[in-house]
Amino acid sequence: MTSLLDPAILFFVFGVLAGALRSDLEIPPAIGKFLSLYLLMALGLKGGFALAESGLSPAMLSGLGAALFMAFLVPALGYAFLRRHVSRFDAAAVAAAYGSVSAVSFVAATQYLENQGMSPGAHMTVAMVLMETPAILMAVLLANAARQAARPVLVVGAGQAALSGMPVAGGASLGGILRESFTGGAQLLLLGSLVVGCLSGEAGKAVMQPFAGDLFKGLLAFFLLDMGLLVARNVGAARRASPVLLAYAVLGPLVHALIALGLARLLGLSTADTALLMVLSASASYIVVPAVLRHAVPEASPSLYLGLSLGLTFPFNILLGIPLYTWMAGAL
């Protein structure tokens, strides 16, 4: 209950209510983009400063390995389930969105853990970056397999063509899609900030504290207000989905979080790292991956994968999931 009274979470709820009431309250897109970039930069700097202090460790390698494993497992499980209820293209796109991660959920979870007196490893920021691309890669390959099944005459050599960088959909190529996922502005800013924080170390931390530390909570609350308004606009698309997909948008992340919990327990990760791994595994991308999927899988419905991830899964994780995952990690 305490987490729901956090000012940032309350602003998110306020944004959802304002949007539901059809208020003309609106955050200008330019300011919303600035807030998003600020949070990514601050998160990257925090991770870099912590990495400079801690250095390499077995715990870091275990955490990164677990994140990569979940990045491949979640979309594979999602596609195996969803293909029985929607088209293969929609199944691949939704599975990719849920196999990837939500940076905002990660930021909110990091803030929640810090409020609880827990300090996750800085390598978990790297883990978040690593978990973006595998889901995109799997979506492209699954969509190509669906196209080959629909056009058997083109099966011979199609896989080799896709892997060699030839067009896979609507003029897009696998190499171009993967390059976009690695060099997109959000990803690049996060990685660059991580490197800057790691190189500048303690001296850089002291200099950047007013920017990356003191302002963080206030700007996070402002950004979550904007996210609440955005969620209210996407709830309608989620409501139009079938009951099976609605259930998947809530129960799927819970299953993914439980698998991550078992894996973290097996590897002996800390409570804070376990909670963040659960959040990453349970979250769904609604910014980076949907943007790539529009080019990689144009046959899929954007309103479906975007509506489910942003209209249902994101608010569930922000309001209930993060404290639930943290409690479950601590209980074990």
Side-chain angles (χ1 to χ4, degrees):
M1 184 63 184
T2 305
S3 65
L4 295 177
L5 298 180
D6 181 272
I9 302 301
L10 289 175
F11 270 108
F12 172 76
V13 175
F14 170 66
V16 173
L17 292 175
L21 293 173
R22 300 177 184 269
S23 168
D24 61 356
L25 175 63
E26 182 181 6
I27 308 298
I31 294 179
K33 184 175 182 179
F34 163 75
L35 292 172
S36 176
L37 294 176
Y38 165 80
L39 291 176
L40 289 172
M41 179 182 285
L43 180 64
L45 286 172
K46 286 184 177 183
F49 297 146
L51 272 179
E53 185 177 344
S54 64
L56 292 173
S57 67
M60 176 188 297
L61 297 178
S62 297
L64 295 179
L68 272 178
F69 178 79
M70 293 302 300
F72 283 102
L73 179 65
V74 170
L77 292 177
Y79 180 75
F81 171 76
L82 292 167
R83 62 178 294 185
R84 293 176 290 179
H85 303 281
V86 295
S87 73
R88 289 189 176 187
F89 296 112
D90 282 332
V94 174
Y98 280 80
S100 189
V101 295
S102 163
V104 181
S105 299
F106 182 83
V107 171
T110 302
Q111 187 64 53
Y112 177 80
L113 290 171
E114 290 179 356
N115 292 342
Q116 300 298 312
M118 291 185 278
S119 300
H123 60 276
M124 294 307 293
T125 303
V126 181
M128 181 186 70
V129 176
L130 291 178
M131 291 180 76
E132 284 278 11
T133 303
I136 297 173
L137 175 62
M138 291 190 67
V140 170
L141 296 179
L142 290 171
N144 280 346
R147 294 185 192 103
Q148 293 169 17
R151 294 177 295 179
V153 70
L154 298 179
V155 169
V156 178
Q160 292 85 344
L163 291 175
S164 65
M166 292 178 67
V168 296
S173 70
L174 181 58
I177 289 166
L178 294 180
R179 184 167 55 252
E180 182 180 346
S181 68
F182 275 114
T183 61
Q187 292 286 84
L188 206 56
L189 176 62
L190 183 60
L191 284 173
S193 302
L194 189 73
V195 172
V196 169
C198 193
L199 292 177
S200 59
E202 194 64 32
K205 182 179 180 181
V207 171
M208 297 300 290
Q209 175 59 29
F211 174 80
D214 298 341
L215 292 176
F216 187 82
K217 290 185 179 180
L219 292 183
L220 174 60
F222 202 8
F223 182 71
L224 285 179
L225 167 64
D226 188 30
M227 290 304 305
L229 294 169
L230 189 59
V231 164
R233 291 196 292 269
N234 283 270
V235 168
R239 286 177 179 172
R240 290 191 290 272
S242 70
V244 173
L245 291 178
L246 295 178
Y248 176 80
V250 175
L251 298 181
L254 288 174
V255 172
H256 304 156
L258 287 173
I259 296 174
L261 175 60
L263 181 61
R265 175 68 173 170
L266 184 65
L267 295 174
L269 301 186
S270 69
T271 300
D273 286 359
T274 298
L276 277 186
L277 181 64
M278 294 173 73
V279 170
L280 288 172
S281 302
S283 66
S285 175
Y286 51 84
I287 298 177
V288 177
V289 172
V292 175
L293 288 177
R294 288 179 182 271
H295 303 289
V297 193
E299 300 92 340
S301 170
S303 63
L304 186 61
Y305 53 79
L306 186 59
L308 290 175
S309 62
L310 186 55
L312 288 178
T313 304
F314 176 74
F316 171 79
N317 280 330
I318 290 293
L319 297 176
L320 299 176
I322 292 173
L324 175 62
Y325 307 144
T326 304
W327 174 83
M328 293 171 68
L332 291 179

